[in-house]
Amino acid sequence: MASGLPFRLPAPSASNMNQQLIRSDRSMITMSDDNVMMKQIVETHAPDGREVDVKPLLHLVEDILKRATLQTDTSLTTSQAHAESEDKTNHANFAVMLDSLSYTIDRISCEIAYKGGADGHATTVELFNMLASYSWDAKLVLTLAAFALNYGEFWLLAQIYSSNQLAKSMAILKQLPNILEHSGPLKPRFDALNNLIKVMMDVTRCVVEFKDLPPTYISHEVSALSAAMAHVPTAVYWTVRSVLACAAQITSLTTMGYEFSISTTKAWELSTLAHKLSNILEHLRKQLATCYQYIDEKRNVEAYQMLLNLFEMTHIDNMKVLKALIYAKDDIQPLIDGSNKRRVNLDVLRRKNVLLLISGLDISNDELSILEQIYNESRHHGARLDSQYDLVWIPIADHSVQWTDPLKEKFESLQNSMPWYTVYQPSLIDKAAIRFIKEVWHFRNKPILVVLDPQGKVVSPNALHMMWIWGSNAFPFTSLREESLWREETWRLELLVDGIDPVISNWIKEEKYIFLYGGDDVEWVRKFTNTARAVAQASRIPLEMVYVGKSRKREQIRRVMGTINVEKLSSAWQDLTMIWFFWTRLESMFFSKIQLGKVDDHDPVMQGIKKLLSYDREGGWAVLSKGSSVVVNGHGTTVLPTLVEYDLWKEQVPVKGFDLAFQEHHENLHDIVHPCSRFEFPMTAGRIPETLKCPECHRSMEKFTTFLCCHDVLLQ
């Protein structure tokens, strides 16, 4: 000992080592009473409260073990950069921590090197006694660090001995050239070794993740976390046992040569341990996923409550609200400017009236086409509006649905078609914001247009109805403005067709009689138009007729339009977008009234809207006007008979005028036939009234559940 050389135990003979390995294998197989074994391990656990941040050390261990291989793995660049960045970030603290832990790591390293081939369980217990005062994750990382010292040294020599004389001499002592020369036959053992080390590292990372779970959102009282923590000692135990098994493999190579290693290959032992650890890892990962889900739900509840609170507060501008809804961090630019397709910050919306267009990816081209037309008109013809409000598309996507290439392409196509601001990616809108949008703003897949004033206050929960009805004339899109616009409206033909068909506008100016009619029954359409034309000729009145289809049943409408065109029965809107917009505006009028709490008002406008929407659901219908004034708004079961029975009231035409004579006879028939109404509200409609009165008999209507095939809808 006078030489000062470190003391080393004598290398065991081949026969002794063989017996030790066999004894180790047998102990692993016959140790069936896990409860007794784990009780012994848990009894060694006596943490003294010290906190060790093991992550920097774990990154260092990962770097060593990933590079400690026979072949250079070029895929480690990212991991290396990550480890180096961690080292730079925590350099001072890490150096202090490593200084305090180096003695422990060295002691464990010696134990692993000299006793790795002995009784696995007994050596593991010794290691746990040495690490008694540390937490479970620290025990594990310290043991792996100790193993990395020995294992890293072995492979470092293997990689540089051919170019470094000192390394070459040391490698010869360890019989490395001979081992590497015959690496082919040893490949199964090296593969098994690499596989076990990978599983060991996966288990370790998983255990450390449990330690890093935020106590603010999860405690040990949560069943998933308590179950996982009860299983952590077992995971740590078997990982340490695996460390010893890996160390024994390297020891057998360097002490007994490759011939012995080939003849007594122990790849099966490593595979058995890898299988056991994989099962443990699978269990821990399931519990970890449950914990993350629990934390995510808690955070979402917290974020949702924050949103509720934000909208109850008064702000100096709209930034807090917009960040909470769209994207809270400052690390990226979350918007795309539709005018130039460049990324921008939320600051472009500061102190603006902001219209949030909220929809899924199924928003129709018709909706976008009409909205774009209104938006562009406001930009080109209203500088005042241009400087005061902006439109932002908020795409709502299901976070549980995989973001496939077709979905991505659909989103990008929609985004590229929009001239206003759009959110860069649907994933930026978090779950709490989506919940708020659905529960508070009643979004049900059909697009809505929520209006925020310059301070972020909601001034309209859905201005899309206003946009469809009055366009940019509805600015600033507040509920007060909506009520004001309705007070100015009367039940007239312009309200129904405003901005849709300029030809009808000319007829109105010329004070012609106009039949606006719809339905999908070709025979009814043929009989109605022919009878109406004959009555008009007999009464000598200027009559125009235009077919506006239905709100659904696209194919039937096309067939009816084809018949009308071929037989020249009347005018018909050839563009299906015009038909869509007509019915969408009618529905918007209805929902606008619902939104204002005026669904059962007895004013002529509301009654007329309700009747038309009801007539559209079944059979034919017609609205007769004289110029702008609506004369009759009736169902096919009363309008057509009124025309057919012209001889019964024709004598009144010269006396009262065609309009009044027609109206009186229609009312008489209506009192006899009395067709009541029906309404269908899709689940995506948002605000649905609790009660509704029939516009014909004024009695409260009953609620029913209806299932309609999606093919029955006019425009998807």
Side-chain angles (χ1 to χ4, degrees), residues 236 423 667:
V236 175
V423 172
E667 287 179 356

Side-chain angles (χ1 to χ4, degrees), residues 350-588:
R350 188 185 297 273
R351 293 195 177 94
K352 295 280 191 73
N353 289 284
V354 178
L355 279 59
L356 302 176
L357 175 62
I358 300 169
S359 79
L361 301 187
D362 54 352
I363 185 171
S364 72
N365 290 330
D366 293 305
E367 288 170 309
L368 289 177
S369 175
I370 299 296
L371 190 58
E372 183 177 354
Q373 180 181 333
I374 296 170
Y375 177 82
N376 288 335
E377 285 176 359
S378 73
R379 263 39 192 168
H380 294 152
H381 305 296
R384 182 178 64 86
L385 298 182
D386 184 44
S387 62
Q388 293 190 48
Y389 89 85
D390 276 305
L391 188 63
V392 182
W393 181 41
I394 309 289
I396 302 299
D398 189 345
H399 286 197
S400 64
V401 176
Q402 186 178 2
W403 192 242
T404 60
D405 287 340
L407 279 177
K408 184 179 178 182
E409 290 171 5
K410 186 174 184 179
F411 166 74
E412 290 176 348
S413 175
L414 285 170
Q415 188 178 61
N416 291 333
S417 70
M418 296 180 181
W420 44 78
Y421 292 110
T422 64
V423 172
Y424 174 58
Q425 284 289 344
S427 58
L428 297 185
I429 312 299
D430 64 29
K431 293 179 181 178
I434 293 174
R435 179 188 170 190
F436 181 87
I437 288 168
K438 289 182 176 180
E439 294 186 10
V440 178
W441 291 344
H442 304 283
F443 171 69
R444 299 289 185 273
N445 295 326
K446 288 193 74 172
I448 62 174
L449 195 66
V450 178
V451 182
L452 306 179
D453 71 7
Q455 286 70 47
K457 180 183 177 181
V458 176
V459 292
S460 175
N462 188 7
L464 199 59
H465 308 313
M466 280 191 274
M467 190 71 86
W468 293 152
I469 302 167
W470 299 291
S472 291
N473 288 332
F475 181 84
F477 309 105
T478 64
S479 296
L480 289 175
R481 176 61 175 159
E482 191 172 12
E483 290 187 5
S484 173
L485 287 167
W486 273 124
R487 282 195 295 269
E488 298 170 9
E489 288 293 353
T490 57
W491 184 235
R492 55 200 175 93
L493 196 60
E494 288 98 330
L495 178 64
L496 298 179
V497 297
D498 184 37
I500 299 177
D501 188 349
V503 174
I504 295 180
S505 299
N506 292 331
W507 294 343
I508 292 172
K509 292 175 183 177
E510 295 168 4
E511 284 292 311
K512 288 185 175 182
Y513 284 94
I514 304 166
F515 262 126
L516 205 69
Y517 74 98
D520 60 345
D521 186 337
V522 174
E523 288 304 317
W524 183 91
V525 168
R526 184 181 285 116
K527 187 172 183 180
F528 168 75
T529 52
N530 288 332
T531 306
R533 186 178 294 106
V535 168
Q537 289 173 352
S539 300
R540 297 181 180 179
I541 60 168
L543 176 69
E544 300 289 351
M545 294 180 286
V546 59
Y547 175 72
V548 298
K550 286 177 67 70
S551 64
R552 57 188 68 204
K553 298 185 178 180
R554 177 195 294 263
E555 293 305 319
Q556 288 93 323
I557 291 171
R558 283 200 176 111
R559 285 196 289 270
V560 173
M561 288 169 59
T563 301
I564 291 172
N565 294 334
V566 170
E567 300 181 16
K568 295 181 170 43
L569 299 177
S570 73
S571 298
W573 287 345
Q574 304 302 314
D575 186 354
L576 289 179
T577 301
M578 294 171 66
I579 295 175
W580 171 86
F581 192 41
F582 172 81
W583 290 106
T584 297
R585 287 185 76 252
L586 269 179
E587 289 183 352
S588 293

Side-chain angles (χ1 to χ4, degrees), residues 64-222:
I64 292 171
L65 295 181
K66 285 180 179 179
R67 296 171 186 277
T69 181
L70 190 62
Q71 296 177 342
T72 302
D73 190 348
T74 57
S75 67
L76 301 177
T77 307
T78 303
S79 176
Q80 177 189 6
H82 181 50
E84 288 175 353
S85 66
E86 285 288 329
D87 182 60
K88 290 177 182 178
T89 305
N90 303 290
H91 185 271
N93 293 335
F94 179 58
V96 172
M97 183 194 72
L98 195 58
D99 185 59
S100 66
L101 297 176
S102 60
Y103 175 72
T104 303
I105 294 173
D106 191 58
R107 283 187 63 200
I108 299 171
S109 177
C110 291
E111 287 290 319
I112 291 173
Y114 299 146
K115 296 184 180 179
D119 186 303
H121 176 67
T123 305
T124 303
V125 172
E126 288 183 32
L127 293 177
F128 274 90
N129 282 323
M130 292 170 60
L131 296 166
S133 59
Y134 292 93
S135 59
W136 291 108
D137 61 315
K139 295 180 200 290
L140 197 49
V141 176
L142 288 171
T143 303
L144 281 169
F147 170 69
L149 275 179
N150 298 333
Y151 193 67
E153 179 189 3
F154 176 84
W155 284 111
L156 178 63
L157 290 175
Q159 291 176 8
I160 68 170
Y161 83 94
S162 61
S163 59
N164 184 288
Q165 185 57 48
L166 175 60
K168 181 177 181 180
S169 299
M170 292 182 65
I172 291 172
L173 280 178
K174 288 181 175 289
Q175 304 186 60
L176 271 176
N178 193 35
I179 293 170
L180 297 177
E181 184 182 345
H182 300 87
S183 59
L186 290 172
K187 188 176 185 303
R189 176 181 285 203
F190 286 135
D191 289 344
L193 196 62
N194 289 335
N195 183 54
L196 179 55
I197 290 173
K198 179 183 180 303
V199 180
M200 284 160 45
M201 292 304 300
D202 288 340
V203 170
T204 303
R205 281 188 288 266
C206 195
V207 170
V208 171
E209 275 193 77
F210 277 109
K211 182 70 177 294
D212 284 345
L213 293 178
T216 307
Y217 298 102
I218 193 167
S219 68
H220 287 267
E221 295 176 358
V222 178

Side-chain angles (χ1 to χ4, degrees), residues 618-629:
E618 195 171 345
W621 60 269
V623 172
L624 174 65
S625 73
K626 182 181 181 182
S628 177
S629 301

